[in-house]
Amino acid sequence: MRRPLVAGNWKMNGSSETAQDLVAGIRKGVEAGLPADIAICPPFVYLTQVGGLLDGSDIALGGQNASQHESGAYTGEVAPAMLVDVGCEYVILGHSERRSYYGEDDVLVAEKVVAAHAAGLKPILCVGETLEEREADRTEAVVASQLDALLESDDGLAALQNGVIAYEPVWAIGTGKTATPQQAQDVHAFIRQRVAAKDADLGAEIRILYGGSVKGNNAAELFAMADIDGGLIGGASLQAEEFLRICRAAI
Ligand code: PEP
């Protein structure tokens, strides 16, 4: 039985003041014993603050990116071990915004996942196709090559053992257009089979999240699908009540 996970990706939003209010609102509404894991991924500069605000709760902390390097002269970068040092359990890697705005390719993302795992983090590997790719019937080919860069790299399978995959169709991120539950399920099943072909146990156990305009009013139907194990939530994670509705749908 896979335990659902709902992770909030705050992206580059907020301030120390809004972070405080948002975490307070979420903490107030998270019932003890909720049968799902919850994680919050604020911008780097607020990790320590938010980690402190989450102390004593079951809500985990995550980063939104990390370097593939351990340490050294990489100005502006943050090492996976630094995320562990400030209390992170998870890190989002290969988000489509990192891929498209910062040129992160499949090989680099695979290196980051391996480095994050080696530092003790649970990587959340993001994959997904653009609208153009979907319309050209290339969804499976694109997702396969994003996955294979990791699955076929040294230590790639090992790095996924405590990892998570997020299927995020690029056309659904921040657009208000959500994949239908069946569209999402089809790709989730494809991802699970692809992982299972390399490691049957991992394929059965790995959590695959859906991301792309998940809201309180569509989360339950998405999370009800057989291979959808929760969500990676952008915009709706910035409002405590909306995020809580989504968390409650993840059972
Ligand atoms: C995301 O950025 O990972 C995401 C899913 O964003 P949104 O929920 O806003 O579509």
Side-chain angles (χ1 to χ4, degrees):
M1 191 56 192
R2 296 182 298 268
R3 189 175 160 83
L5 167 66
V6 177
N9 173 13
W10 289 4
K11 309 194 186 191
M12 197 175 72
N13 290 300
S15 63
S16 50
E17 195 182 335
T18 60
Q20 170 132 16
D21 292 347
L22 188 48
V23 174
I26 293 168
R27 272 201 76 154
K28 213 159 65 185
V30 170
E31 299 107 66
L34 195 73
D37 291 334
I38 300 172
I40 292 177
C41 305
F44 288 138
V45 292
Y46 302 127
L47 282 170
T48 301
Q49 178 200 359
V50 170
L53 294 168
L54 292 176
D55 254 357
S57 79
D58 288 334
I59 303 171
L61 188 67
Q64 298 176 15
N65 182 30
S67 173
Q68 72 276 34
H69 300 294
E70 271 180 42
S71 65
Y74 301 103
T75 302
E77 289 288 279
V78 170
M82 294 172 180
L83 295 182
V84 174
D85 194 26
V86 296
C88 288
E89 182 175 337
Y90 294 93
V91 61
I92 300 167
L93 294 169
H95 190 281
S96 71
E97 288 151 14
R98 300 289 324 165
R99 293 175 186 265
S100 65
Y101 304 150
Y102 303 100
E104 295 194 6
D105 64 15
D106 295 345
V107 173
L108 174 63
V109 173
E111 286 172 8
K112 289 185 172 206
V113 171
V114 170
H117 171 259
L121 291 164
K122 296 176 179 163
I124 302 176
L125 166 66
C126 300
V127 297
E129 81 290 358
T130 63
L131 184 59
E132 201 181 20
E133 289 162 342
R134 173 163 283 264
E135 286 175 349
D137 220 6
R138 296 191 52 238
T139 298
E140 290 191 355
V142 169
V143 170
S145 83
Q146 291 170 336
L147 278 178
D148 289 355
L150 179 67
L151 296 177
E152 289 169 9
S153 72
D154 290 346
D155 304 322
L157 260 187
L160 266 190
Q161 293 295 328
N162 65 351
V164 176
I165 296 173
Y167 169 57
E168 299 207 302
V170 179
W171 48 271
I173 296 178
T175 59
K177 284 187 206 149
T178 316
T180 66
Q182 193 57 53
Q183 280 175 322
Q185 165 59 26
D186 289 347
V187 183
H188 281 234
F190 173 78
I191 292 170
R192 195 174 299 291
Q193 276 163 20
R194 195 122 190 136
V195 175
K198 298 280 182 198
D199 178 333
D201 289 342
L202 181 60
E205 285 160 17
I206 194 160
R207 293 184 289 189
I208 307 177
L209 312 183
Y210 169 78
S213 299
V214 178
K215 307 277 181 247
N217 62 8
N218 60 21
E221 58 180 12
L222 286 157
F223 298 168
M225 303 308 281
D227 289 296
I228 300 183
D229 306 313
L232 181 55
I233 317 301
S237 72
L238 296 171
Q239 294 155 10
E241 262 323 305
E242 192 70 9
F243 187 62
L244 286 165
R245 280 181 72 195
I246 296 169
C247 294
R248 291 186 195 113
I251 46 168

